[in-house]
Amino acid sequence: MSVQQTIKLKQAELLQAADPPVRCQLLVDLLELYIKIPSPDSEAYMQELKELAPVTSNDRFKGWALFYEGIEHRQHSQMPAAINLITQALDLFKQLGDDNSEAMVALNLGICYRNIGKYNEALSYYNQALEHAANTNNKSLLSSAHNNSGNVYMLNGNYAAALHSQLSALRIRREIDDKPGMAASLRNIGNLFFKQKHHAQALQNYQESLQLSTELNDVMGIAASTYNLGVIFDRNGEMEHALESYLRAYHLYKQLNVLGPLAIVMNSLGIIHKKLGKQEEAGKWSTEAITTSIKAGDRHGEGFARTYHAQLLKEQGLYAKAIAEAEAAVAIYQEIGSKDNLNTAYLVISEAYEALGNTAKALQAYKAFHQTDAEVLGKDASERLTQLNFQHEMERKEAVHKATEDMLHNILPVPIANRILRGDKQIADMFEQVSVFFCDIAGFTKLSQNIAPTELVNILNDIFSEFDRLAVKHGLEKIKTIGDSYMAVAGIPSPLHDHAERAAAFALDVLACMQQYRLNTGRALEIRAGLHCG
């Protein structure tokens, strides 16, 4: 079930709920879903929770009311208010000793600190989230904490640690079949490969992410992956395709009113218009990107926008303005401890000073560029990234092989399954002497009309599981079950001189088992069984 479908289901339940505690729980459930898909609708639910929680005298609901009010402030880029409210919620959940709630709240507090460029504080809260999520084995929160840690490591220029965290998140999300989370992880891994100039691997991750987000109708995910593909088109010189992707991402983010990503797209639109020779439009997009980043309270985004605005100014020959803008970007990066794009800002400063004839300052800035570039893109960093990716691919292939092996062993005799796994294409063996047991349940059609499907499946599972145990006991190989029919053979796939005796002993145990089996109603079940040797 998609997030949108779950939201509609919860909304329908809320319409029928009158009891305050029940309504509060449904409001909490809805608001948790709206974190994944931001919407203006969430504000009304937050207000109701804020008003209703005190009525219940339940501290847990009070904590969630504080938390989701803080989330509303964060979505409106009001970070001080958001941090204040979410911190109050965290303190309340600590008093309650609620690990899951502490993990969720600490994770989102970390996001607030990341948004204002306080990366050490962000990592501290992410580590708290990891600890509390591990205590309850909450894999969803564990993967989110790994994912967000990876994002901060990337901003710090520690790409190996970032990839390790993102791969941990992806591994867990695949395990729990969290498709929206998988899409986000694939995008983040693609970003890391892109920054290391492994464009083919980046493209593969972006395409997988877009496919998943499209299947889920996840507008935020579609916007992010579309933008990422635009970056690849841009880098490959496919300008028209890049512009088309950027504009589509821009309109999607505008529709969602998500300012941080919107500013990044505006910045790229400025760059692409510059490449297309449309200098005036490029300047407008670039300036708007800075303004939007400031509105969003996104310090790294502001530094990113100023860096590329400085590039535009430099190429227009406005060297003094370019230096001022790039130095402002460097100051932001140093303030928040980010090395991501810091090298680009230094390069702009160096080239602008060189154009002005100030070789001393040009050399000084170039040395800073070279040092930063080597730290984040050097041989050691690249080799570590490649090593981690190779390890991940091996683990992924092993997981696929193990799943295939388990499936074959579940439906085929072990020797036959092993032969298929070794590569045998056609298996057609002849056995001169075997004994075949077969049975079905008498009156099964009538029985199936009078009980629920789930109960019927449970009955068959109970019966056939016991038959499987008896087959192992007597050395028979189960061949198949179809509906209420069960078939097993003695003498296949390994010949047995006493196949008939084994099959007969198995049949007698099966009959004895069924004589003791009773439905919940107390009714017995009869079976028809047969043996054939030859």
Side-chain angles (χ1 to χ4, degrees):
M1 185 182 294
S2 70
V3 176
Q4 291 93 336
Q5 290 171 324
T6 308
I7 285 174
K8 287 181 180 178
L9 183 64
K10 292 292 180 184
Q11 287 171 333
E13 290 180 39
L14 188 63
L15 287 172
Q16 302 297 321
D19 185 50
V22 174
R23 285 192 71 82
C24 278
Q25 185 57 58
L26 287 168
L27 289 165
V28 169
D29 294 343
L30 270 167
L31 289 164
E32 183 176 353
L33 292 166
Y34 277 121
I35 285 184
K36 299 175 183 176
I37 302 180
S39 166
D41 297 346
S42 63
E43 192 161 352
Y45 295 123
M46 183 277 294
Q47 286 294 341
E48 184 179 354
L49 180 61
K50 182 179 176 182
E51 294 166 7
L52 201 56
V55 176
T56 66
S57 299
N58 184 316
D59 285 343
R60 184 172 167 275
F61 291 141
K62 292 176 185 175
W64 287 124
L66 286 165
F67 172 73
Y68 285 113
E69 187 180 0
I71 294 297
E72 286 290 335
H73 282 292
R74 188 180 79 193
Q75 289 172 348
H76 288 92
S77 303
Q78 298 161 345
M79 292 303 166
I83 289 172
N84 178 43
L85 288 161
I86 297 175
T87 302
Q88 289 182 52
L90 183 60
D91 291 341
L92 189 52
F93 285 124
K94 281 180 178 177
Q95 293 172 22
L96 295 172
D98 184 342
D99 273 313
N100 266 330
S101 299
E102 282 190 64
M104 173 81 161
V105 177
L107 176 67
N108 280 275
L109 195 51
I111 293 171
C112 290
Y113 278 108
R114 182 199 69 196
N115 287 352
I116 61 173
K118 295 192 174 181
Y119 297 147
N120 289 336
E121 289 88 341
L123 284 171
S124 173
Y125 283 112
Y126 293 153
N127 286 333
Q128 286 185 41
L130 282 168
E131 180 183 346
H132 291 297
N135 288 343
T136 58
N137 197 30
N138 188 321
K139 293 185 176 179
S140 177
L141 285 172
L142 270 174
S143 65
S144 293
H146 280 302
N147 176 74
N148 281 281
S149 295
N151 288 337
V152 170
Y153 285 129
M154 184 182 77
L155 293 171
N156 280 335
N158 189 344
Y159 293 160
L163 184 61
H164 177 75
S165 293
Q166 294 296 353
L167 291 175
S168 297
L170 180 59
R171 194 176 296 115
I172 296 169
R173 286 167 169 175
R174 281 189 170 133
E175 181 185 337
I176 62 177
D177 197 32
D178 173 11
K179 288 186 170 61
M182 287 160 57
S185 292
L186 287 164
R187 281 194 301 275
N188 292 332
I189 291 168
N191 291 340
L192 286 164
F193 283 124
F194 182 82
K195 289 181 178 296
Q196 284 283 315
K197 305 187 189 304
H198 300 313
H199 296 151
Q201 289 167 299
L203 177 60
Q204 179 183 341
N205 281 276
Y206 292 154
Q207 288 172 330
E208 285 185 49
S209 175
L210 180 58
Q211 181 179 344
L212 270 174
S213 296
T214 302
E215 289 171 5
L216 296 164
N217 194 29
D218 176 4
V219 179
M220 182 78 84
I222 292 169
S225 297
T226 300
Y227 169 73
N228 291 144
L229 288 173
V231 174
I232 294 289
F233 289 135
D234 191 345
R235 185 53 58 97
N236 291 341
E238 300 175 59
M239 296 299 128
E240 293 300 330
H241 284 118
L243 179 59
E244 182 183 344
S245 294
Y246 289 154
L247 285 172
R248 187 184 177 209
Y250 169 77
H251 289 300
L252 289 171
Y253 281 132
K254 190 84 171 172
Q255 170 190 330
L256 293 167
N257 194 31
V258 185
L259 296 181
L262 187 63
I264 292 172
V265 179
M266 287 174 172
N267 197 66
S268 294
L269 281 165
I271 295 169
I272 202 75
H273 278 96
K274 178 194 71 176
K275 291 178 179 178
L276 291 169
K278 300 177 181 178
Q279 299 294 332
E280 187 176 345
E281 288 185 61
K284 287 178 181 176
W285 282 112
S286 184
T287 304
E288 188 62 25
I290 297 171
T291 305
T292 305
S293 296
I294 294 170
K295 280 183 186 175
D298 182 354
R299 295 291 282 155
H300 181 268
E302 183 187 346
F304 183 87
R306 288 188 184 280
T307 299
Y308 287 100
H309 186 59
Q311 275 192 327
L312 178 62
L313 292 169
K314 181 201 72 175
E315 292 181 15
Q316 291 173 342
L318 302 171
Y319 301 121
K321 289 184 178 179
I323 290 168
E325 198 72 275
E327 287 180 340
V330 168
I332 291 171
Y333 292 140
Q334 290 176 338
E335 173 197 330
I336 63 180
S338 174
K339 293 180 181 177
D340 189 43
N341 289 304
L342 176 59
N343 54 344
T344 306
Y346 278 129
L347 185 59
V348 172
I349 294 169
S350 175
E351 290 175 345
Y353 272 124
E354 185 177 11
L356 290 172
N358 191 332
T359 54
K361 287 194 173 181
L363 179 60
Q364 182 183 4
Y366 187 76
K367 286 180 179 178
F369 155 74
H370 184 72
Q371 180 180 345
T372 309
D373 195 59
E375 287 175 7
V376 298
L377 296 176
K379 182 181 176 184
D380 291 344
S382 183
E383 287 179 352
R384 177 61 176 152
L385 199 69
T386 302
Q387 176 190 351
L388 282 167
N389 186 56
F390 176 78
Q391 179 183 337
H392 168 65
E393 286 303 315
M394 289 300 99
E395 288 176 358
R396 187 175 180 180
K397 288 177 181 177
E398 285 175 11
V400 171
H401 179 78
K402 181 68 167 56
T404 303
E405 186 178 287
D406 290 346
M407 180 183 70
L408 288 172
H409 283 154
N410 191 45
I411 62 177
L412 293 171
V414 171
I416 302 299
N418 288 340
R419 285 169 65 181
I420 292 174
L421 289 167
R422 284 197 301 269
D424 289 5
K425 301 297 182 185
Q426 294 183 343
I427 299 176
D429 296 336
M430 180 73 178
F431 293 88
E432 294 286 346
Q433 293 296 324
V434 300
S435 293
V436 180
F437 168 89
F438 46 89
C439 75
D440 67 3
I441 298 172
F444 180 77
T445 302
K446 186 176 180 180
L447 173 67
S448 64
Q449 293 171 348
N450 297 320
I451 61 175
T454 51
E455 185 181 353
L456 188 67
V457 170
N458 289 336
I459 290 170
L460 290 175
N461 185 58
D462 289 344
I463 293 171
F464 290 160
S465 293
E466 183 61 19
F467 288 5
D468 290 346
R469 188 189 67 78
L470 293 172
V472 172
K473 172 184 172 183
H474 293 289
L476 275 74
E477 190 71 50
K478 180 177 75 173
I479 300 301
K480 64 180 178 179
T481 60
I482 299 178
D484 65 320
S485 301
Y486 187 95
M487 182 178 177
V489 180
I492 293 178
S494 301
L496 296 169
H497 70 278
D498 58 345
H499 57 87
E501 291 90 338
R502 287 173 180 268
F506 170 72
L508 290 170
D509 273 0
V510 165
L511 291 173
C513 166
M514 291 308 297
Q515 285 171 355
Q516 296 175 10
Y517 186 82
R518 294 291 184 275
L519 299 175
N520 291 335
T521 59
R523 176 188 164 188
L525 288 178
E526 296 181 354
I527 66 167
R528 293 183 288 257
L531 282 175
H532 179 79
C533 299

